[in-house]
Amino acid sequence: MKKVLILEDEVSIRSFVVINLKRAGYEVVEAGTGEEALELLKVNPDVGVAILDIMLPGIDGFEVCRRIRDQVDVPILMVTARTESVDKIRGLGLGADDYITKPFLPQELLLRLAAVLRRVYGAGAGEVLRLGAAEVHWGTGTVRRPGGGEAALTAKEYALLKKLAANRGNIVTIDALCQALWEGPMVGYENTLMVHI
Ligand code: CA
């Protein structure tokens, strides 16, 4: 189960979301401002998905989304109060994974969240890939090593490993890896790819 970061300045809405997320089994970290959310992400590298409100005091949700994208590969679900914001989310090319419009039912949010997680981290909970003595658990997006060490994969590391595992024993080109990570053979991404590897 992934750790969720929720950014929402309205306390009543935030607590309502937090209660529902926890009830559904998610671990939650919460922020009331964009600045706080970015700080929390730095100290919680195991956050697997971020839910961002747009209208906030200080920097807005769009800016938070942009800064998160510059720093980490965590999937993002935007929360918008108005439909015109939806057009903006699409138009800005911020790399948000999905959005949900206020007001929403807790069930809607949980479904949307599960869909994002499934899309980014893949389905097949419980599936395990063995690499020597290490185990990759696709369902939780973690790598376990003998001796008890467990590391959480980032979304990009996950996609990379998934692509390589699907082609085990075969050559996988840089273009094919870029395709898997950025949905296109993007020139100039080779260095970024190497960093993820
Ligand atoms: Ca707000």
Side-chain angles (χ1 to χ4, degrees), residues 97-136:
D97 294 84
D98 204 355
Y99 57 85
I100 187 166
T101 315
K102 278 185 201 171
F104 52 80
L105 295 170
Q107 202 54 28
E108 276 182 83
L109 176 72
L110 292 173
L111 285 174
R112 220 45 97 78
L113 193 61
V116 167
L117 289 171
R118 208 163 42 238
R119 204 160 58 233
V120 175
Y121 297 101
E127 261 183 70
V128 174
L129 166 74
R130 280 174 213 291
L131 289 172
E135 290 179 347
V136 181

Coordinates of all heavy atoms in Angstrom, one line a residue, residues 97-136:
D97 N -1.3 13.2 -13.3 CA -1.7 11.9 -13.8 C -3.3 11.8 -13.9 O -3.8 11.0 -14.8 CB -1.2 10.8 -12.9 CG 0.3 10.7 -13.0 OD1 1.0 11.5 -12.2 OD2 0.8 9.9 -13.8
D98 N -4.0 12.6 -13.2 CA -5.4 12.6 -13.2 C -5.9 13.8 -12.4 O -5.1 14.5 -11.7 CB -6.0 11.3 -12.7 CG -7.4 11.0 -13.2 OD1 -7.9 11.9 -14.0 OD2 -7.9 10.0 -12.9
Y99 N -7.2 14.1 -12.5 CA -7.8 15.2 -11.7 C -9.2 14.7 -11.2 O -9.8 13.8 -11.8 CB -7.9 16.4 -12.5 CG -8.7 16.2 -13.7 CD1 -10.1 16.3 -13.7 CD2 -8.1 15.9 -14.9 CE1 -10.9 16.1 -14.8 CE2 -8.9 15.7 -16.1 CZ -10.2 15.8 -16.0 OH -11.0 15.5 -17.1
I100 N -9.6 15.4 -10.2 CA -11.0 15.1 -9.7 C -11.6 16.5 -9.3 O -10.9 17.4 -8.9 CB -11.0 14.1 -8.5 CG1 -12.4 13.7 -8.0 CG2 -10.2 14.7 -7.3 CD1 -12.4 12.5 -7.1
T101 N -12.9 16.6 -9.6 CA -13.6 17.9 -9.4 C -14.3 17.9 -8.0 O -15.0 16.9 -7.7 CB -14.6 18.2 -10.5 OG1 -13.9 17.9 -11.8 CG2 -15.0 19.6 -10.5
K102 N -14.2 19.0 -7.3 CA -14.9 19.2 -6.0 C -16.4 19.6 -6.3 O -16.6 20.3 -7.3 CB -14.3 20.3 -5.2 CG -13.1 19.9 -4.4 CD -12.7 21.2 -3.6 CE -11.3 21.1 -3.1 NZ -10.9 22.4 -2.5
P103 N -17.4 19.2 -5.6 CA -17.3 18.3 -4.5 C -17.3 16.8 -5.0 O -17.8 16.5 -6.0 CB -18.5 18.6 -3.7 CG -19.5 19.0 -4.7 CD -18.7 19.7 -5.8
F104 N -16.6 16.0 -4.2 CA -16.5 14.5 -4.7 C -16.9 13.6 -3.5 O -16.7 14.0 -2.3 CB -15.1 14.2 -5.2 CG -14.0 14.6 -4.3 CD1 -13.7 13.8 -3.2 CD2 -13.3 15.7 -4.5 CE1 -12.6 14.1 -2.4 CE2 -12.2 16.1 -3.7 CZ -11.9 15.3 -2.6
L105 N -17.3 12.5 -3.8 CA -17.6 11.5 -2.8 C -16.3 10.7 -2.5 O -15.5 10.6 -3.4 CB -18.6 10.5 -3.3 CG -20.0 11.0 -3.6 CD1 -20.9 10.0 -4.3 CD2 -20.7 11.4 -2.3
P106 N -16.1 10.3 -1.2 CA -14.9 9.6 -0.9 C -14.6 8.4 -1.8 O -13.5 8.2 -2.2 CB -15.1 9.1 0.6 CG -16.5 9.5 0.9 CD -17.0 10.5 -0.1
Q107 N -15.7 7.7 -2.2 CA -15.5 6.6 -3.0 C -14.9 6.9 -4.4 O -14.1 6.2 -4.9 CB -16.9 5.9 -3.2 CG -16.8 4.4 -3.6 CD -15.9 3.6 -2.7 OE1 -15.8 3.9 -1.5 NE2 -15.3 2.6 -3.2
E108 N -15.4 8.1 -4.9 CA -14.8 8.6 -6.2 C -13.3 8.8 -6.1 O -12.6 8.4 -7.0 CB -15.5 9.9 -6.6 CG -16.8 9.9 -7.2 CD -17.2 11.3 -7.5 OE1 -16.8 11.9 -8.6 OE2 -18.0 11.9 -6.7
L109 N -12.9 9.5 -5.0 CA -11.5 9.8 -4.8 C -10.7 8.5 -4.7 O -9.7 8.3 -5.3 CB -11.3 10.6 -3.5 CG -9.9 10.9 -3.2 CD1 -9.3 11.9 -4.2 CD2 -9.7 11.4 -1.8
L110 N -11.2 7.5 -4.0 CA -10.5 6.2 -3.8 C -10.4 5.5 -5.1 O -9.3 4.9 -5.4 CB -11.2 5.4 -2.7 CG -11.2 5.9 -1.3 CD1 -12.0 5.1 -0.4 CD2 -9.7 5.9 -0.8
L111 N -11.4 5.5 -5.9 CA -11.4 4.8 -7.2 C -10.4 5.5 -8.1 O -9.6 4.8 -8.8 CB -12.8 4.9 -7.9 CG -13.8 3.9 -7.3 CD1 -15.2 4.1 -7.9 CD2 -13.4 2.5 -7.5
R112 N -10.4 6.9 -8.1 CA -9.5 7.6 -9.0 C -8.0 7.4 -8.5 O -7.1 7.2 -9.3 CB -9.8 9.1 -8.8 CG -9.8 10.0 -10.0 CD -10.4 9.4 -11.3 NE -11.8 9.8 -11.5 CZ -12.1 11.0 -11.9 NH1 -11.1 11.9 -12.3 NH2 -13.3 11.4 -12.1
L113 N -7.8 7.3 -7.2 CA -6.5 7.1 -6.7 C -6.0 5.7 -7.0 O -4.9 5.5 -7.5 CB -6.6 7.2 -5.1 CG -5.3 7.3 -4.4 CD1 -4.5 8.5 -4.8 CD2 -5.6 7.4 -2.9
A114 N -6.9 4.7 -6.9 CA -6.5 3.3 -7.2 C -6.2 3.2 -8.7 O -5.2 2.5 -9.0 CB -7.6 2.4 -6.8
A115 N -6.9 3.9 -9.5 CA -6.7 3.8 -11.0 C -5.3 4.4 -11.3 O -4.6 3.9 -12.1 CB -7.8 4.6 -11.7
V116 N -5.0 5.5 -10.6 CA -3.7 6.2 -10.9 C -2.5 5.2 -10.4 O -1.6 5.0 -11.2 CB -3.5 7.5 -10.1 CG1 -2.1 8.0 -10.1 CG2 -4.4 8.6 -10.8
L117 N -2.7 4.7 -9.3 CA -1.7 3.8 -8.7 C -1.5 2.5 -9.6 O -0.4 2.1 -9.9 CB -2.0 3.3 -7.3 CG -1.9 4.4 -6.3 CD1 -2.5 4.0 -4.9 CD2 -0.4 4.8 -6.1
R118 N -2.6 2.0 -10.1 CA -2.6 0.8 -11.0 C -1.9 1.2 -12.3 O -1.0 0.4 -12.8 CB -4.0 0.4 -11.2 CG -4.1 -1.1 -11.5 CD -5.5 -1.7 -11.4 NE -6.5 -0.8 -11.9 CZ -7.5 -0.3 -11.3 NH1 -7.7 -0.5 -10.0 NH2 -8.4 0.5 -11.8
R119 N -2.2 2.3 -12.8 CA -1.6 2.7 -14.1 C -0.1 3.0 -14.0 O 0.7 2.6 -14.8 CB -2.3 4.0 -14.6 CG -2.2 4.2 -16.1 CD -3.3 5.2 -16.5 NE -3.2 6.5 -15.9 CZ -4.2 7.1 -15.3 NH1 -5.4 6.5 -15.2 NH2 -4.1 8.3 -14.8
V120 N 0.3 3.6 -12.9 CA 1.7 4.0 -12.7 C 2.5 2.8 -12.2 O 3.6 2.5 -12.7 CB 1.8 5.2 -11.7 CG1 3.3 5.5 -11.5 CG2 1.2 6.4 -12.3
Y121 N 2.0 2.1 -11.2 CA 2.8 1.0 -10.6 C 2.5 -0.4 -11.2 O 3.1 -1.4 -10.8 CB 2.7 1.0 -9.1 CG 3.2 2.3 -8.5 CD1 2.3 3.3 -8.1 CD2 4.6 2.5 -8.3 CE1 2.8 4.5 -7.6 CE2 5.1 3.7 -7.8 CZ 4.2 4.7 -7.4 OH 4.6 5.9 -6.9
G122 N 1.4 -0.5 -12.0 CA 1.0 -1.7 -12.6 C 0.1 -2.5 -11.7 O 0.1 -2.3 -10.5
A123 N -0.6 -3.4 -12.3 CA -1.5 -4.3 -11.5 C -0.8 -5.4 -11.0 O 0.5 -5.4 -10.9 CB -2.7 -4.7 -12.4
G124 N -1.4 -6.5 -10.6 CA -0.7 -7.7 -10.3 C -0.1 -7.7 -8.9 O 1.0 -8.0 -8.7
A125 N -0.9 -7.2 -7.9 CA -0.5 -7.3 -6.5 C -0.1 -8.7 -6.2 O -0.8 -9.6 -6.6 CB -1.5 -6.7 -5.6
G126 N 1.0 -8.9 -5.5 CA 1.4 -10.2 -5.1 C 2.4 -10.8 -6.1 O 3.0 -11.8 -5.8
E127 N 2.5 -10.3 -7.3 CA 3.4 -10.8 -8.2 C 4.8 -10.5 -7.8 O 5.1 -9.4 -7.4 CB 3.2 -10.2 -9.6 CG 2.4 -11.0 -10.6 CD 2.3 -10.3 -11.9 OE1 3.3 -10.2 -12.6 OE2 1.2 -9.8 -12.2
V128 N 5.7 -11.5 -7.9 CA 7.1 -11.2 -7.5 C 8.1 -11.6 -8.6 O 7.9 -12.7 -9.2 CB 7.4 -12.1 -6.2 CG1 8.8 -12.0 -5.8 CG2 6.5 -11.6 -5.1
L129 N 9.1 -10.8 -8.8 CA 10.1 -11.1 -9.7 C 11.4 -11.3 -8.9 O 11.7 -10.6 -8.0 CB 10.4 -9.9 -10.7 CG 11.7 -9.9 -11.5 CD1 11.6 -10.9 -12.6 CD2 12.0 -8.5 -12.0
R130 N 12.1 -12.5 -9.2 CA 13.3 -12.8 -8.4 C 14.5 -12.4 -9.3 O 14.6 -12.8 -10.4 CB 13.3 -14.3 -8.1 CG 12.5 -14.6 -6.9 CD 12.4 -16.1 -6.6 NE 11.1 -16.3 -6.0 CZ 10.7 -15.9 -4.8 NH1 11.5 -15.2 -4.0 NH2 9.5 -16.2 -4.4
L131 N 15.4 -11.6 -8.7 CA 16.6 -11.2 -9.3 C 17.7 -11.6 -8.4 O 18.0 -10.9 -7.5 CB 16.6 -9.7 -9.5 CG 15.7 -9.1 -10.6 CD1 15.8 -7.6 -10.5 CD2 16.1 -9.5 -12.0
G132 N 18.3 -12.8 -8.7 CA 19.3 -13.3 -7.8 C 18.7 -13.5 -6.5 O 17.7 -14.2 -6.4
A133 N 19.2 -12.9 -5.4 CA 18.7 -13.1 -4.1 C 17.6 -12.0 -3.8 O 16.9 -12.1 -2.8 CB 19.8 -13.1 -3.0
A134 N 17.5 -11.0 -4.6 CA 16.5 -9.9 -4.4 C 15.2 -10.3 -5.0 O 15.1 -11.0 -5.9 CB 17.1 -8.6 -4.9
E135 N 14.1 -9.7 -4.4 CA 12.8 -9.9 -4.9 C 12.1 -8.6 -5.2 O 12.2 -7.6 -4.4 CB 11.9 -10.6 -3.8 CG 12.2 -12.0 -3.5 CD 11.4 -12.5 -2.4 OE1 10.7 -11.7 -1.7 OE2 11.4 -13.8 -2.2
V136 N 11.5 -8.5 -6.3 CA 10.8 -7.2 -6.7 C 9.3 -7.6 -6.5 O 8.8 -8.5 -7.1 CB 11.0 -6.8 -8.2 CG1 10.3 -5.6 -8.5 CG2 12.5 -6.6 -8.4

